[in-house]
């Protein structure tokens, strides 16, 4: 993207974000330097999954050298390419535990983004389905829409794997009030909060809307079949609902759903019981096997992640685990950013700084000077050297401008 095309307000917002050492999420690629061939390979990987089987990739990079940054790049690539995307930070202390798929499902629903929609959340994908023009969807996928809705009757359809998602989608399409849609979004984003609210969900999403459709099931059947539960039967419905969100994305005219998981090493650091770690690793393998989620998933990890996983399990005396599965996980390893790359990044920051504050070439720090600054900042070794160096460039540009006003 040509930085000179930025308007001043946008450029100033970018600079304010760069003061924290990272660019705004929507401009991550603009401030990604070097690694051009690697980025093209990553972009190509978005199209790996088939329609009925998913795929996953470990994205390896050291702390402070672009691991989280790269995930944001992939997220931006995915949205630009017409995918829905959700970037989740794994955090056992924050209730995003990878051994509990209902919690992971909730986090995915909270962070889901759809091209062309400003609001995040599962409502964005439900809106995409409701708003899609049938003529714009390919004939094959158009027939899928008919099967999902039982040709517009919405009485009962078994096409979707998750009965909860079917109930939510049907209520969303027929919702007469905003409160119904807010209930659906909150239920999917925080499924554990609704374990004791089955009757409330049935009343609001089924019984109160029976004038719009004729569901043949009685109230007790919804409870007996765990329609409103994402944790029962080994969290099976959480997996099924993820697969169905991929289906909804495709029949809404999107290319699919891309999932991105940051800080996956949390599984090693913060899950203190061996059974919890084993379950988290099994869930990881399920994404890579591609049978439960038919989309593309990315996991940001450090280069020694596989060895750390095996060491952790061995330290816990878990000897009957299939350790070879770790070695078979496909990965993409990011080249470390170099001094020349950071010099290019510093030059871009200088350019956008000039746009933000209306400075011409004469009013900006000279290119030679900014290159010297980049050299000096880069010489300071730190685990988060890139972030600190970016902050340093902005700070020095501020000081230069203050001294020449």
């Amino acid at each position: 993207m040509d930085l000179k095309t930025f308007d001043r307000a946008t450029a100033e917002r970018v600079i304010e974000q760069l003061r924290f050492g990272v660019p705004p999420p929507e401009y991550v690629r603009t401030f990604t330097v070097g690694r051009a061939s690697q980025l093209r390979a990553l972009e190509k990987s978005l199209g790996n999954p088939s329609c009925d089987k998913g795929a996953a990739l470990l994205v390896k990079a050291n702390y402070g050298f672009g691991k989280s940054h790269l995930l944001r790049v992939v997220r931006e690539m995915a949205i630009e390419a017409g995918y829905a995307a959700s970037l989740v930070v794994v955090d056992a202390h924050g209730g995003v535990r990878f051994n509990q798929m209902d919690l992971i499902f909730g986090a995915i629903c909270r962070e889901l983004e759809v091209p062309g929609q400003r609001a995040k959340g599962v409502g964005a994908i439900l809106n995409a389905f409701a708003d899609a023009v049938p003529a714009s969807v390919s004939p094959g996928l158009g027939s899928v829409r008919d099967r999902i809705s039982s040709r517009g009757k919405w009485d009962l359809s078994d096409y979707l794997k998750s009965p909860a998602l079917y109930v939510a989608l049907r209520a969303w399409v027929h919702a007469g009030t905003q409160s119904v849609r807010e209930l659906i979004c909150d239920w999917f984003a925080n499924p554990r909060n609704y374990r004791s609210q089955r009757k409330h969900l049935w009343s609001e999403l089924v019984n109160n809307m029976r004038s719009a459709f004729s569901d043949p099931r009685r109230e007790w059947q919804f409870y007996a079949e765990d329609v409103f539960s994402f944790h029962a039967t080994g969290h099976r419905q959480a997996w099924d609902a993820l697969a169905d969100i991929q289906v909804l994305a495709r029949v809404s005219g999107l290319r699919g759903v891309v999932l991105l998981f940051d800080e996956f090493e949390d599984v090693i650091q913060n899950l203190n019981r061996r059974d919890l770690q084993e379950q988290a690793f099994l869930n990881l393998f399920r994404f890579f096997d591609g049978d439960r989620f038919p989309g593309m998933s990315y996991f940001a990890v450090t280069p020694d992640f596989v060895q750390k996983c095996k060491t952790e399990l061995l330290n816990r005396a878990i000897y009957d685990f299939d350790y070879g599965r770790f070695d078979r996980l496909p990965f993409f390893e990011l080249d470390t950013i170099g001094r020349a790359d950071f010099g290019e990044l510093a030059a871009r920051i200088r350019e956008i700084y000039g746009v933000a504050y209306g400075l011409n070439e004469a009013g900006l720090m000279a290119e030679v000077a900014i290159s010297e600054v980049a050299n000096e900042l880069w010489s300071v070794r730190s685990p988060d050297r890139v972030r600190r160096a970016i902050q340093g460039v902005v700070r020095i540009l501020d000081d230069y401008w203050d001294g020449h006003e």
Side-chain angles (χ1 to χ4, degrees):
M1 182 180 291
D2 186 354
L3 299 180
K4 291 185 173 61
T5 64
F6 280 58
D7 60 72
R8 286 191 61 173
T10 300
E12 189 169 355
R13 182 167 63 84
V14 169
I15 288 296
E16 291 306 312
Q17 185 66 42
L18 289 172
R19 294 186 193 283
F20 297 98
V22 293
E26 65 270 34
Y27 297 113
V28 169
R29 291 181 71 183
T30 304
F31 294 92
T32 298
V33 293
R35 308 155 169 170
S37 61
Q38 289 190 302
L39 292 180
R40 285 194 295 272
L42 262 183
E43 190 165 18
K44 187 176 180 181
S45 73
L46 288 169
N48 272 352
S50 65
C51 292
D52 57 354
K53 192 172 179 65
L57 200 62
L58 292 180
V59 177
K60 296 183 178 182
N62 278 310
Y63 289 114
F65 285 88
K67 182 167 57 68
S68 299
H69 176 93
L70 188 61
L71 272 198
R72 293 194 293 270
V73 171
V74 177
R75 169 202 155 275
E76 190 174 317
M77 287 177 174
I79 291 174
E80 287 181 1
Y83 292 88
S86 183
L87 197 163
V88 171
V89 179
V90 180
D91 180 7
H93 294 314
V96 187
R97 303 165 63 92
F98 216 81
N99 61 300
Q100 301 284 345
M101 278 308 299
D102 58 336
L103 296 176
I104 294 298
F105 173 73
I108 289 169
C109 287
R110 290 194 296 272
E111 299 301 325
L112 197 62
E113 297 177 82
V114 172
Q117 295 198 34
R118 296 186 63 182
K120 286 200 302 188
V122 71
I125 205 76
L126 300 179
N127 273 336
F129 180 92
D131 297 342
V133 179
S136 67
V137 180
S138 67
L141 294 177
S143 66
V144 171
R145 290 178 66 90
D146 284 342
R147 293 176 64 183
I148 290 172
S149 68
S150 54
R151 296 193 175 278
K153 297 192 298 293
W154 290 101
D155 48 2
L156 183 61
S157 169
D158 291 328
Y159 187 85
L160 296 179
K161 294 181 178 181
S162 163
L165 191 63
Y166 179 76
V167 165
L169 179 64
R170 178 175 64 185
W172 190 275
V173 170
H174 295 288
T177 63
Q178 183 63 25
S179 62
V180 169
R181 292 190 168 186
E182 290 174 355
L183 172 63
I184 292 168
C185 290
D186 194 56
W187 171 30
F188 275 48
N190 305 286
R192 290 207 169 182
N193 294 348
Y194 287 85
R195 288 188 181 183
S196 61
Q197 298 190 52
R198 299 181 305 169
K199 187 172 183 65
H200 176 57
L201 292 170
W202 174 82
S203 177
E204 293 295 320
L205 305 182
V206 181
N207 197 47
N208 291 352
M209 304 183 73
R210 286 194 182 275
S211 61
F213 46 79
S214 299
D215 194 311
R217 292 169 292 181
R218 299 192 178 189
E219 180 180 356
W220 66 268
Q221 289 176 280
F222 284 86
Y223 307 148
E225 296 171 10
D226 289 317
V227 169
F228 303 114
S229 169
F230 288 96
H231 69 284
T233 322
H235 302 96
R236 186 69 206 202
Q237 184 162 211
W239 284 107
D240 287 346
L242 276 183
D244 286 343
I245 287 175
Q246 167 80 354
V247 172
L248 294 186
R250 289 181 54 79
V251 301
S252 301
L254 299 169
R255 296 183 64 184
V257 177
V258 171
L259 301 181
L260 308 110
F261 297 100
D262 199 4
E263 301 299 338
F264 193 76
E265 251 110 341
D266 174 89
V267 169
I268 302 171
Q269 298 161 352
N270 296 323
L271 289 180
N272 298 321
R273 283 171 33 194
R274 55 180 286 177
D275 58 325
L276 303 185
Q277 284 188 328
E278 282 188 274
Q279 185 58 52
F281 290 137
L282 288 174
N283 286 335
L284 171 71
F285 295 142
R286 284 168 177 153
F287 276 103
F288 278 82
D289 291 342
D291 294 327
R292 296 203 178 185
F293 174 65
M296 190 69 194
S297 306
Y298 297 84
F299 294 80
V301 297
T302 52
D304 58 350
F305 169 74
V306 166
Q307 186 57 49
K308 285 195 292 187
C309 290
K310 293 192 287 188
T311 300
E312 177 71 12
L313 292 174
L314 286 170
N315 288 341
R316 291 183 178 274
I318 301 174
Y319 303 120
D320 57 351
F321 199 88
D322 183 0
Y323 287 86
R325 296 190 73 177
F326 287 111
D327 296 315
R328 294 191 293 271
L329 295 177
F331 67 89
F332 173 94
E333 188 154 6
L334 182 68
D335 290 341
T336 301
I337 184 173
R339 159 64 193 91
D341 295 324
F342 183 71
E344 181 185 344
L345 178 56
R348 291 188 192 183
I349 296 172
R350 171 185 178 273
E351 187 173 352
I352 197 71
Y353 193 97
V355 175
Y357 300 109
L359 305 176
N360 57 27
E361 190 66 25
L364 274 172
M365 177 181 284
E367 289 187 19
V368 172
I370 203 71
S371 179
E372 292 174 354
V373 164
N375 274 333
E376 183 176 346
L377 291 169
W378 195 250
S379 66
V380 180
R381 294 190 173 275
S382 166
D384 58 346
R385 176 164 61 174
V386 177
R387 184 191 299 266
R388 290 176 179 273
I390 289 172
Q391 292 174 312
V393 169
V394 177
R395 185 171 57 251
I396 286 167
L397 288 170
D398 283 337
D399 293 342
Y400 182 86
W401 186 31
D402 288 342
H404 291 77
E405 280 189 297

